[in-house]
């Protein structure tokens, strides 16, 4: 799978709080094995693996085998799409709040 052609939408992948927590954990570490990720949650290894698969399909997580162990690391590049989307609406709301402030100031005069 190419990072430029993910199987899953980035927004869909980060919609779940467990997957956002996995992203945070991987952002704080260079690489983590599945068993270290699993102990962070009140769910089984299979459930954590399913969440990681969804993140992998979105291109947010990369994995590699080291012996019998699978290690995961974050690929933050797809999050740029989220950042751009939030940035657009942040500017939108800031502009509208400034307009509202000016209107309120005009009414006070």
């Amino acid at each position: 799978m190419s990072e430029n052609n993910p199987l899953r939408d980035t927004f869909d992948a980060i919609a779940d709080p467990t997957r956002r927590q996995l992203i945070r954990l991987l952002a704080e570490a260079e690489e983590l094995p599945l068993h270290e990720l699993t102990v962070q949650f009140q769910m089984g290894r299979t459930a954590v693996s399913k969440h990681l698969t969804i993140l992998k399909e979105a291109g947010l997580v990369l994995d590699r085998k080291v012996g019998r162990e699978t290690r995961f690391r974050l690929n933050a590049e797809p999050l740029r799409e989220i950042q751009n989307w939030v940035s657009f609406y942040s500017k939108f709301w800031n502009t509208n709040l400034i307009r509202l402030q000016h209107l309120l100031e005009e009414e006070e005069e």
Side-chain angles (χ1 to χ4, degrees):
M1 166 179 46
S2 165
E3 287 180 19
N4 296 331
N5 187 18
L7 298 175
R8 186 176 296 271
D9 180 70
T10 306
F11 288 88
D12 180 45
I14 67 163
D16 185 272
T18 299
R19 292 192 290 270
R20 291 193 302 269
Q21 177 70 9
L22 282 165
I23 289 170
R24 188 188 65 75
L25 290 168
L26 291 170
E28 293 173 350
E30 185 174 324
E31 189 176 73
L32 289 171
L34 178 58
H35 72 272
E36 285 187 33
L37 290 166
T38 301
V39 299
Q40 302 292 324
F41 300 95
Q42 294 183 353
M43 62 180 72
R45 181 182 181 109
T46 303
V48 173
S49 289
K50 287 180 182 180
H51 284 291
L52 286 165
T53 297
I54 290 169
L55 293 171
K56 279 176 50 178
E57 290 173 352
L60 289 162
V61 169
L62 304 171
D63 65 346
R64 70 182 182 103
K65 289 280 191 181
V66 177
R68 294 174 43 187
E69 181 178 77
T70 304
R71 294 178 179 227
F72 297 89
R73 65 185 169 93
L74 178 65
N75 175 32
E77 184 59 32
L79 293 174
R80 189 176 309 277
E81 177 185 7
I82 307 293
Q83 180 185 14
N84 292 341
W85 187 82
V86 169
S87 177
F88 171 82
Y89 285 100
S90 179
K91 290 175 190 172
F92 170 81
W93 283 112
N94 285 336
T95 300
N96 283 317
L97 288 173
I98 289 169
R99 287 182 189 156
L100 177 60
Q101 182 179 4
H102 288 141
L103 284 171
L104 292 173
E105 288 172 354
E106 286 175 8
E107 283 187 10
E108 287 179 359
E109 294 175 355

